[in-house]
């Protein structure tokens, strides 16, 4: 570390002089090496391309063999195709098996490339579909479907196509297919000839060189001259100055081969090109110093200032070094950076305000949970029952109060099971009925089976408690009705929860404020429950939950329309089929 800190710095002129000296030495060496290497390049290039073609063909042969084995094993052993062949195409077992098969071949496609396409054909139901994402157009897909169905009707399909990749022509494009039959069902692998040969076409084969797939009749299947016959090599006087070589390699178990034509220019042209390269290198070296100085002043220094501003942002400081530059792009970046800093400030403020609002909602929720006056009322009621020696009623009241507070003080998940919430409401109503006796009754209407549906905790109880608080009187009996139904709407399934009572109903000013969506005045801690519940539903469901308040002929009525969600059994408090939950 000490040696690194003691390295002597030099001005840029020193590095420029060193660059000129090194460049002169490099030019001399380049001239000697170029003359010696020209003769070697022609020999080594041919051998290199032959080795590259062999390696690529070996890899494709391995891929073909594995895909053949995978499709054959799947046809013979995978139960998904058995289920799909047994059940109707629109049945649930068929759809589930199709989904599993799609996942299986999607994984195979990820391993061997998106250019491979996989299809299955069920002859009994005449059903043809891809079992992995496809990379061909719909018109080609339709034509491939017709040709494959026609080929499967050939009695010799097993001998012609199984483990034998064969070219087909679709709308002017050549594809390579492999059909694996098994009784009355087939698996098909397909890849474009252009995509299969594409890696070899990236190799520099000279101005007139090419790499292509060729079928058994000598017809090109890919390349810029796809569909043409391979031209025969013609000998001429120019062959003395040019190096021609044809590289051909065959695939295993395939009706096509690779044909590569390597065509270099004349030897004199190669020499002239080397001299031009050296001259260009000298010109570039002489102008590089001026370019370095120009870009250091107009590009590197502004970038360094920009980097320092980024460092200040990371450290939490204010970015203030906004100097102008002569380069338009840097000026644009500078302006965008200023706007980004402004947006970060606004985002921090908004984020802080949102956190404050969430904390306020959580605090109100905790206040709603504790309710010491309710606990005291329960104790007072049990004391009164004890004085009247109502021992059975005391036992029932104590058990219900215990269940009530056990549910209240459970961990704070966002969602609970609807059946548990209804049972908690029933416990709360039983407690109230023990207190008010003949002045209070209730009725709960729900489907016979409600399992797995998720709702926020204590939402129903909040409105039930509000009905008890403002509805119980000595003049007449209060009856509270809770009904739960499921409803299918255009945008999905919903759960309708309706709470009605025979009390005095909402006052006109409160009902008007609720219908307009305005916040209720929360003086003295009253009405915290309703406003807190509305805010919780907005936080959890965003705009998908709906609450309506109304007065009918008998009293008040509240209707909650909540998206139907299923509670995740593995992770308590989380849902598995909804995307509107606030993070």
């Amino acid at each position: 570390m000490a040696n690194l800190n003691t390295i002597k710095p030099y001005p840029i002129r020193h590095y420029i002089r060193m660059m000129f000296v090194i460049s002169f030495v490099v030019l001399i060496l380049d001239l000697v090496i170029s003359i010696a290497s020209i003769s070697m390049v022609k020999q080594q290039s041919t051998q290199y391309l032959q080795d590259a073609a062999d390696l690529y063909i070996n890899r494709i042969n391995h891929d073909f063999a594995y895909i053949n084995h995978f499709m054959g094993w799947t046809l013979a052993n995978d139960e998904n195709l058995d289920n799909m062949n047994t059940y109707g195409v629109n049945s649930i077992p068929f759809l589930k098996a199709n989904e599993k098969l799609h996942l299986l071949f999607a994984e195979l496609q990820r391993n061997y490339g998106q250019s491979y396409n996989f299809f299955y054909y069920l002859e009994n139901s005449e059903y043809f579909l891809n079992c992995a994402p496809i990379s061909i157009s719909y018109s080609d897909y339709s034509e491939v479907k017709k040709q494959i169905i026609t080929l499967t009707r050939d009695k010799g399909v097993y001998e012609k196509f199984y483990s034998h990749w064969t070219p087909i022509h679709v709308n002017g494009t050549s594809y390579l297919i492999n059909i694996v039959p098994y009784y009355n069902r087939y698996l098909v692998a397909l890849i474009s000839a252009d995509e299969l040969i594409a890696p070899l076409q990236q190799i520099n084969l000279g101005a007139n060189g090419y790499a292509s797939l060729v079928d058994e009749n000598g017809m090109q299947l890919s390349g810029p001259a796809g569909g043409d016959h391979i031209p025969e090599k013609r000998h001429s006087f120019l062959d003395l100055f040019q190096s021609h070589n044809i590289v051909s390699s065959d695939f295993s178990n395939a009706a096509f081969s690779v044909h590569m034509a390597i065509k270099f220019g004349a030897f004199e042209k190669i020499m002239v090109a080397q001299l031009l390269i050296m001259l260009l290198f000298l010109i570039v070296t002489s102008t590089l110093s001026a370019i370095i100085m120009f870009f250091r002043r107009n590009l590197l220094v502004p970038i360094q200032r920009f980097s320092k501003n980024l460092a200040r942002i990371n450290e939490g400081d204010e970015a203030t070094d906004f100097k102008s530059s002569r380069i338009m792009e840097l000026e644009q970046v500078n302006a965008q950076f200023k706007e980004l800093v402004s947006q970060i400030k606004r985002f921090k403020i908004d984020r802080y305000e949102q956190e404050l609002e969430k904390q306020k909602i959580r605090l109100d929720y905790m206040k709603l949970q504790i309710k010491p006056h309710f606990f005291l009322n329960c104790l007072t009621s049990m004391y009164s029952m004890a004085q009247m020696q109502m021992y059975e009623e005391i036992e029932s009241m104590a058990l219900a109060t215990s269940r009530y507070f056990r549910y209240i003080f459970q961990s704070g998940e966002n969602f609970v099971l609807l059946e548990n919430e209804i049972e908690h409401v029933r416990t709360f109503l039983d407690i109230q009925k023990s207190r008010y006796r003949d002045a209070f009754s209730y009725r709960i209407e729900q489907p016979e089976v409600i399992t797995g549906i998720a709702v926020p905790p204590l939402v129903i109880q909040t409105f039930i408690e509000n009905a008890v608080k403002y509805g119980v009187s000595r003049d007449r009996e209060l009856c509270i009705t809770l009904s739960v139904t499921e409803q299918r709407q255009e945008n999905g399934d919903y759960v309708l929860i309706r709470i009605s009572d025979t009390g005095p109903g909402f006052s006109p000013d409160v009902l008007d404020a609720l219908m307009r969506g305005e916040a209720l005045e929360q003086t003295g801690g009253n009405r915290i429950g309703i406003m807190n519940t509305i805010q919780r539903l907005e936080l959890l469901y965003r705009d998908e939950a709906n609450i309506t308040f109304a007065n009918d002929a008998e009293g008040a009525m509240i209707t909650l329309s909540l998206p139907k969600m299923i509670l995740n059994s593995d992770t308590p408090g989380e849902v598995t089929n909804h995307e509107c939950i606030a993070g």
Side-chain angles (χ1 to χ4, degrees):
M1 182 64 68
N3 293 334
L4 293 177
N5 294 332
T6 57
I7 294 177
K8 182 180 179 180
Y10 293 94
I12 192 171
R13 293 189 300 274
H14 171 76
Y15 295 102
I16 293 176
R17 284 195 298 268
M18 290 181 60
M19 183 178 61
F20 276 116
V21 173
I22 295 173
S23 300
F24 178 78
V25 175
V26 170
L27 286 173
I28 301 301
L29 292 176
D30 183 69
L31 178 62
V32 176
I33 294 173
S34 297
I35 296 175
S37 62
I38 288 176
S39 59
M40 298 173 58
V41 167
K42 290 187 280 188
Q43 298 176 358
Q44 293 180 353
S45 297
T46 301
Q47 184 62 40
Y48 163 76
L49 292 175
Q50 180 68 59
D51 294 340
D54 292 338
L55 288 174
Y56 179 72
I57 290 174
N58 289 336
R59 185 179 69 84
I60 296 300
N61 286 334
H62 179 271
D63 292 349
F64 281 175
Y66 182 84
I67 291 173
N68 293 339
H69 173 75
F70 183 88
M71 291 194 300
W73 187 92
T74 301
L75 276 173
N77 299 281
D78 195 290
E79 64 180 4
N80 292 318
L81 283 169
D82 291 334
N83 293 337
M84 294 169 64
N85 201 40
T86 303
Y87 297 96
V89 295
N90 294 321
S91 64
I92 293 178
F94 182 93
L95 296 177
K96 289 183 178 179
N98 183 43
E99 182 179 359
K100 294 180 181 178
L101 187 67
H102 192 277
L103 292 175
L104 191 65
F105 278 90
E107 181 66 22
L108 179 66
Q109 190 183 63
R110 282 192 294 270
N111 294 333
Y112 290 92
Q114 298 296 324
S115 57
Y116 284 94
N117 301 271
F118 298 96
F119 309 89
Y120 65 88
Y121 173 59
L122 305 179
E123 188 175 12
N124 289 348
S125 56
E126 295 185 354
Y127 190 80
F128 182 90
L129 190 66
N130 60 296
C131 51
I134 60 176
S135 59
I136 61 176
S137 64
Y138 181 77
S139 58
D140 287 355
Y141 168 80
S142 300
E143 183 61 26
V144 166
K145 175 181 178 181
K146 294 179 182 178
Q147 292 196 30
I148 289 177
I149 292 176
T150 302
L151 291 174
T152 56
R153 293 172 181 170
D154 188 353
K155 295 182 179 180
V157 62
Y158 185 90
E159 293 77 9
K160 294 180 179 178
F161 297 100
Y162 178 67
S163 297
H164 189 75
W165 292 74
T166 306
I168 62 172
H169 302 283
V170 177
N171 298 330
T173 302
S174 297
Y175 291 95
L176 312 172
I177 65 168
N178 179 28
I179 302 176
V180 180
Y182 187 78
Y183 294 105
N184 55 356
R185 52 184 181 264
Y186 306 84
L187 278 176
V188 181
L190 178 142
I191 185 173
S192 169
D194 290 328
E195 291 178 343
L196 187 64
I197 198 64
L200 293 181
Q201 292 178 337
Q202 303 300 320
I203 301 175
N204 183 14
L205 303 175
N208 299 319
Y210 61 88
S212 177
L213 294 179
V214 181
D215 63 10
E216 297 174 338
N217 299 321
M219 184 73 69
Q220 281 188 264
L221 302 175
S222 61
D228 297 337
H229 284 279
I230 296 296
E232 297 179 0
K233 181 178 178 181
R234 298 178 180 178
H235 298 279
S236 64
F237 178 77
L238 296 177
D239 292 342
L240 298 175
F241 302 95
Q242 293 182 347
S243 175
H244 293 273
N245 191 27
I246 303 298
V247 175
S248 297
S249 298
D250 296 328
F251 290 93
S252 300
N253 299 323
F256 51 87
S257 59
V258 170
H259 192 96
M260 299 176 64
I262 308 170
K263 297 183 178 180
F264 296 102
F267 180 81
E268 290 80 1
K269 292 181 180 180
I270 297 177
M271 180 62 72
V272 171
Q274 291 287 341
L275 295 175
L276 290 177
I277 290 174
M278 288 187 288
L279 179 62
L280 179 63
F281 183 77
L282 179 62
I283 295 173
V284 170
T285 303
S286 63
T287 58
L288 186 60
S289 300
I291 295 175
I292 291 175
M293 295 299 296
F294 175 81
F295 277 97
R296 181 185 181 279
R297 184 179 59 185
N298 296 281
L299 182 63
L300 297 179
V301 173
I303 288 177
Q304 290 175 350
R305 290 199 298 265
F306 184 76
S307 177
K308 291 179 181 179
N309 282 330
L310 289 179
R312 292 192 183 99
I313 291 294
N314 292 332
E315 296 172 359
D317 298 334
E318 191 76 16
T320 57
D321 192 8
F322 294 110
K323 295 183 180 180
S324 300
S325 173
R326 295 182 181 179
I327 299 178
M328 181 182 299
E329 287 77 7
L330 287 178
E331 280 295 296
Q332 293 175 353
V333 169
N334 214 12
Q336 293 174 357
F337 181 72
K338 293 178 182 178
E339 178 64 22
L340 177 62
V341 172
S342 177
Q343 291 179 1
I344 291 175
K345 292 180 180 178
R346 292 196 298 269
F347 174 76
K348 288 182 177 179
I349 294 174
D350 294 341
R351 184 73 175 179
Y352 179 72
E353 292 177 350
Q354 290 177 3
E355 290 299 325
L356 289 179
E357 182 65 22
K358 289 182 179 180
Q359 291 180 6
K360 180 179 179 299
I361 291 175
R362 294 190 184 101
L363 182 60
D364 291 341
Y365 180 49
M366 292 175 63
K367 292 178 181 178
L368 188 65
Q369 283 183 313
I370 296 174
K371 297 185 180 301
H373 66 276
F374 178 79
F375 181 68
L376 296 176
N377 289 339
C378 292
L379 293 178
T380 302
S381 298
M382 285 188 285
Y383 176 76
S384 300
M385 293 177 185
Q387 287 182 326
M388 293 183 289
Q389 299 181 357
M390 302 169 61
Y391 301 120
E392 293 183 0
E393 287 79 358
I394 292 175
E395 292 178 359
S396 177
M397 183 76 168
L399 184 60
T401 305
S402 174
R403 289 199 303 267
Y404 174 84
F405 281 100
R406 183 179 293 110
Y407 188 85
I408 285 290
F409 294 125
Q410 65 183 348
S411 58
E413 290 92 358
N414 287 330
F415 291 91
V416 295
L417 290 173
L418 176 58
E419 54 262 35
N420 293 344
E421 183 72 5
I422 293 176
E423 186 61 28
H424 171 68
V425 169
R426 192 188 306 275
T427 301
F428 174 78
L429 292 172
D430 287 338
I431 294 174
Q432 301 301 330
K433 186 168 178 59
S434 298
R435 290 183 57 197
Y436 297 109
R437 297 192 175 277
D438 296 337
F440 174 76
S441 64
Y442 69 89
R443 184 172 68 254
I444 297 178
E445 301 172 353
Q446 67 182 73
E448 294 181 359
V449 178
I450 295 180
T451 57
I453 298 177
V455 294
L458 303 181
V459 169
I460 301 177
Q461 183 212 323
T462 300
F463 295 108
I464 293 286
E465 184 177 355
N466 187 74
V468 173
K469 181 177 181 181
Y470 294 100
V472 173
S473 66
R474 297 180 180 179
D475 299 336
R476 60 175 180 175
E477 178 187 357
L478 174 68
C479 180
I480 296 179
T481 302
L482 169 64
S483 66
V484 179
T485 59
E486 298 183 32
Q487 185 182 62
R488 179 176 293 276
Q489 300 181 10
E490 293 181 358
N491 55 344
D493 294 337
Y494 279 76
V495 177
L496 297 183
I497 303 173
R498 183 171 289 107
I499 304 164
S500 60
D501 62 67
T502 58
F506 295 104
S507 61
D509 56 339
V510 172
L511 181 60
D512 185 59
L514 290 173
M515 293 178 65
R516 291 198 306 269
E518 298 178 356
L520 299 178
E521 184 179 357
Q522 301 178 11
T523 58
N526 294 325
R527 297 167 181 165
I528 290 179
I530 292 179
M531 299 313 300
N532 176 264
T533 300
I534 293 175
Q535 290 177 343
R536 285 174 61 207
L537 293 179
E538 290 178 354
L539 181 66
L540 293 173
Y541 293 102
R542 298 195 177 101
D543 298 330
E544 297 193 23
N546 184 39
I547 308 178
T548 58
F549 302 87
N551 286 331
D552 58 9
E554 295 182 351
M557 182 172 64
I558 302 172
T559 303
L560 285 76
S561 178
L562 306 179
K564 182 180 178 181
M565 300 182 298
I566 304 301
L567 193 66
N568 192 337
S569 59
D570 297 329
T571 307
E574 296 186 2
V575 295
T576 58
N577 62 340
H578 205 66
E579 298 179 354
C580 73
I581 305 306

